Structure formats: C-alpha cells, structure tokens
Amino acid sequence: MRFPIESVREQFPALSRTINGVPVCHCDGPAGSQVPRRVAEAVSDYLLTTNANRGAPFAVAEESDARLDAAHAALADFLGTPDPGCIAFGQNMTSLTLALSRALAKTWKPGDEVIVSQLDHDANVTPWVLAAEDAGAVVRRIPVRLDDCTLDLDAYRGLLNERTRLVALGYASNATGTVNPVRAMIADAHAVGALAFVDAVHFAPHGLIHVAELDCDFLCCSAYKFFGPHVGVLYGKRSLLESVRPYKLRPSPEDLPGRWMTGTQSHEGIVGAAEAVEYLADLGRSLRTKIVSRRDALRTAFDAITAYEQELGHDFLKATREIPGLKCWGITDPERFGERVPTFSFTQARHSPKEIAAALGREGIFAWPGNHYALPFTEAAGLEPGGTLRIGLLHYNTREEVARVGEALSRVVEHA
C-alpha cells in the first residue's frame, strides 16, 4: 500500500514555509515534531469555548472535565492500556520523571541499586541518580557498544541482582536512533524483583507502544514529539500508582489519575495531545476500511509509518554513505533497520556539527548540533563538547527531501 505522503503533508502548515524562496526541510523531529492544523485548532477551541478548572458544578467546567476524561482514554489507547486511570499528564517527561523518581526513592534504602544506561537522554539518567543519592542507593550503568551504538546486554544482565530496585531504560535513542530490546530487558529486571521504567519519548512517533505487552511498570513520553503540544504523559501500573506515595497537596485528589497530576494542568495541552492521537488514528482509518477501534486504527497507522520511515532511512544512508570523512554513529547495516528509527548522528573531522548545521540552515534544512541532552552517550563516545549533527526524519518527510539533504550535506562537508 502506497503511503499517503501528499495528504499527510497537507495537514501540517509548517511544511509549506519557505526561506529566501526555498522550501524548508524539517529534519529536526527528534527535538520536537511539527503539528497538524487540527491539533492547533483543538487547543484554540478548548481555550476559547471550554476553559475552566476541574470539578465545578456548572456547564463549562463539566464540558471541560468531559474533554479531559476523553483525553485520558485517547492516551490509554495510544499506549496500549485498557485503564485510562493509569494515564497521568504533566509538564513534560523530565518533570514527570523527576517527580516519580523522588517518590520511589522513599521506598529505597542504603545499599539498594538502580540501573541506568549510557545510551539514554539525561532525563532518564540524572533523575534516578539524584534519587539514588538521596536514598543512599548505588547507581550502575549499562555500557554502550560504540561500534554500533547498542547496549551491552551481557553487561546489563551481569548488573542485575537481588539488590536492584529499578531499571531505567530508553525505548529508542534520541541520538543514534537505536531501538533497545526493552521487552526482554524488562523481563530480566522483573526476574530479580526490580521495577522497570521506560522512556518512550523518542520511540513514540515511530512505532506502536503496548505497555501491557511490554509489562513495564512505568512509561513516559511527550506529546510534542508525536505531533502534539508541549505536555508530558506518564503511564504506571495501577497497583503502583495507588501504593507509591506522590508528593502532592492535601486537597488534591487521592484517586487516579489525579493523584499523580500535581497542580492545575495545561488543559489545552492535554486536549491537544488527544487530538494528535486522533490524527494518527485517522491516518490508520484512511488506510484500511472496517477498523473497529481506535487502537486498531493506531496499529494500522504505525505499521504504515514504520514501513515508510524505513524506506526513508535506507535512502538517507545510501545518499550519505560516500560523503568523505562523514561518520554515522549507530546501526548502518540495512539488514538491521528493524533495530533503529530514522534518526542519524554524524561527525566529520574538518567541520564541527554546529558549523555543518548552520550551513544546512542557510539552505533551509533544519538539523540539530550538540549533545541533544543525550549526554551519557556523547560522554561515553568522547564527543563532548561538540556532540553530533543529528538529522531526524518523520513520516511527513519525503524521499525528495532525503535526496536534497544528502546532496546538501555532501556539498557542505566539502566546502563549509
């Protein structure tokens, strides 16, 4: 089935922008995706017609509560749980993880151990390190294999023991695109009695998440990475969300999900996140008739997105493979593309990532230089302080854009 790239792009106003008469090319998705018009309209409509706080006995507040409850249901479908009460919203993944780590640390004691990895965004490392310090727990780190930027799974299994209390795993690396075998790693953690937390921020726009199949204890993502506004999403198993004591105000709800949603939330952001899910579900509905549920529609959409993005990734690596001195960090074997998403990090000896990104920017191509907050990886790889040039593709990018970026990157590396 042909991917409907034209109808997809028509829904994203940002993709029609030009700079100096040249169409822009957004290769900055890992830092934040663009949004469909309908998401912005949902945010605007909430603020203009249904703007009220939770729980009041009048019409606008009741309408607002209904829209927020519907958003919990939408994100439950997005993450693969039948229980909307297990979905909490917050400012972003980082804030949610800091709050959760602080609460969980109250259950740890000196000598307990926490495992993090060298391939993660720092938001899935430093919160756990700080929490471990508060509790007197020990932090262990899963090393990254720099030849293909995958985690050393033998070393990981060697770190697990009866003292391990939590393992913090990244679903996909926002620096190298590596998709980690989180399901097996979660099973290994549970085998020694540890909890498993998954950072799915970077994976969320690329593949279908199923928390029930993963059997993760907690999972976080951020809507602004999957075509929504700036709001974070936390899933947790009900038994844990009910038993772990969050830091909260006395008048705030004790039942789920309000127990984990401190203070007044960004209601408009939550409604926008739900609309981003509906955008993806409608993509699935457009591809297959007789879809019964929103979850089935999302599965169809992500099947198509994954297949299309793999084509983009193949094209991009082919276009950049012969550029002199350009090193791609991560999996480059086409036979292993199921182990990565189309996020690519490059270095080149003659020019810094910042210099290359600035030169590409002058041609209307948007890509990020730096460590991308994946500081554990750039430190392990000896890439500080410059980091890498990161080019990240999403399902609204085209094969023509991929060719354009490859040509521009070749030109820039030679003449920047």
Side-chain angles (χ1 to χ4, degrees), residues 222-302:
S222 291
Y224 75 99
K225 300 295 180 75
F226 59 86
F227 321 109
H230 290 85
V231 63
V233 186
L234 169 68
Y235 159 82
K237 289 181 177 177
R238 176 171 281 273
S239 60
L240 291 168
L241 294 178
E242 289 179 337
S243 61
V244 177
R245 183 181 178 184
Y247 285 76
K248 60 186 284 295
L249 304 184
R250 290 176 296 168
S252 61
E254 193 55 43
D255 58 338
L256 297 181
R259 192 169 190 260
W260 287 89
M261 296 175 61
T262 56
T264 301
Q265 296 288 313
S266 171
H267 293 176
E268 64 274 20
I270 293 170
V271 168
E275 192 63 29
V277 172
E278 287 298 336
Y279 155 73
L280 290 164
D282 279 347
L283 174 58
R285 296 181 185 109
S286 74
L287 294 169
R288 183 163 64 90
T289 58
K290 298 181 180 179
I291 289 178
V292 176
S293 70
R294 180 164 51 200
R295 180 67 180 177
D296 285 341
L298 290 166
R299 182 178 294 105
T300 299
F302 276 112

Side-chain angles (χ1 to χ4, degrees), residues 26 29 75 82 95 98 113 131 152 155 162-163 174 193-194 204 206 221 224 253 275 282 301 310 340 379 389 404-405:
H26 279 280
L75 271 297
S95 298
L98 283 166
E113 297 184 3
D152 186 331
E162 70 280 359
R163 297 182 300 279
N174 76 309
H206 299 289
C221 57
Y224 75 99
E275 192 63 29
D282 279 347
Q310 285 197 357
R340 68 164 307 137
E379 288 177 333
L389 172 76
R404 175 185 165 194
V405 174

Side-chain angles (χ1 to χ4, degrees), residues 15-321:
L15 304 184
S16 62
R17 180 174 177 174
T18 61
I19 292 180
N20 298 323
V22 179
V24 302
C25 178
H26 279 280
C27 298
D28 56 342
S33 61
Q34 301 305 304
V35 301
R37 180 179 286 103
R38 60 190 285 176
V39 169
E41 289 173 348
V43 171
S44 175
D45 181 69
Y46 176 86
L47 289 171
L48 295 175
T49 68
T50 330
N51 194 18
N53 217 325
R54 275 285 202 176
F58 53 79
V60 174
E62 290 168 353
E63 292 166 8
S64 174
D65 286 350
R67 294 182 75 170
L68 297 175
D69 290 343
H72 285 269
L75 271 297
D77 283 345
F78 182 72
L79 296 181
T81 175
D83 188 351
C86 292
I87 302 295
F89 293 96
Q91 183 179 1
N92 46 53
M93 177 270 180
T94 301
S95 298
L96 287 166
T97 306
L98 283 166
L100 177 63
S101 65
R102 189 182 182 197
L104 286 175
K106 289 293 185 182
T107 69
W108 302 340
K109 62 183 184 301
D112 286 346
E113 297 184 3
V114 175
I115 296 177
V116 298
S117 96
Q118 291 184 329
L119 196 55
D120 271 271
H121 188 290
D122 201 56
N124 199 28
V125 175
T126 292
W128 305 112
V129 171
L130 295 175
E133 289 176 356
D134 289 345
V138 177
V139 177
R140 307 294 187 190
R141 289 173 170 79
I142 311 168
V144 60
R145 296 162 51 95
L146 294 178
D147 58 335
D148 62 358
C149 297
T150 60
L151 292 177
D152 186 331
L153 298 181
D154 289 335
Y156 165 62
R157 287 186 285 268
L159 294 174
L160 292 166
N161 62 75
E162 70 280 359
R163 297 182 300 279
T164 307
R165 294 293 167 261
L166 179 127
V167 176
L169 303 170
Y171 208 141
S173 167
N174 76 309
T176 68
T178 307
V179 176
N180 294 315
V182 290
R183 186 174 181 178
M185 297 178 79
I186 290 166
D188 289 338
H190 287 166
V192 298
L195 298 177
F197 174 94
V198 176
D199 170 8
V201 171
H202 192 63
F203 185 79
H206 299 289
L208 186 71
I209 298 170
H210 199 314
V211 292
E213 288 186 357
L214 292 176
D215 196 28
C216 55
D217 299 290
F218 303 97
L219 180 143
C220 254
C221 57
S222 291
Y224 75 99
K225 300 295 180 75
F226 59 86
F227 321 109
H230 290 85
V231 63
V233 186
L234 169 68
Y235 159 82
K237 289 181 177 177
R238 176 171 281 273
S239 60
L240 291 168
L241 294 178
E242 289 179 337
S243 61
V244 177
R245 183 181 178 184
Y247 285 76
K248 60 186 284 295
L249 304 184
R250 290 176 296 168
S252 61
E254 193 55 43
D255 58 338
L256 297 181
R259 192 169 190 260
W260 287 89
M261 296 175 61
T262 56
T264 301
Q265 296 288 313
S266 171
H267 293 176
E268 64 274 20
I270 293 170
V271 168
E275 192 63 29
V277 172
E278 287 298 336
Y279 155 73
L280 290 164
D282 279 347
L283 174 58
R285 296 181 185 109
S286 74
L287 294 169
R288 183 163 64 90
T289 58
K290 298 181 180 179
I291 289 178
V292 176
S293 70
R294 180 164 51 200
R295 180 67 180 177
D296 285 341
L298 290 166
R299 182 178 294 105
T300 299
F302 276 112
D303 284 346
I305 286 170
T306 299
Y308 178 68
E309 288 186 349
Q310 285 197 357
E311 292 179 4
L312 295 180
H314 279 287
D315 287 354
F316 185 69
L317 279 182
K318 185 177 180 180
T320 57
R321 187 171 289 122

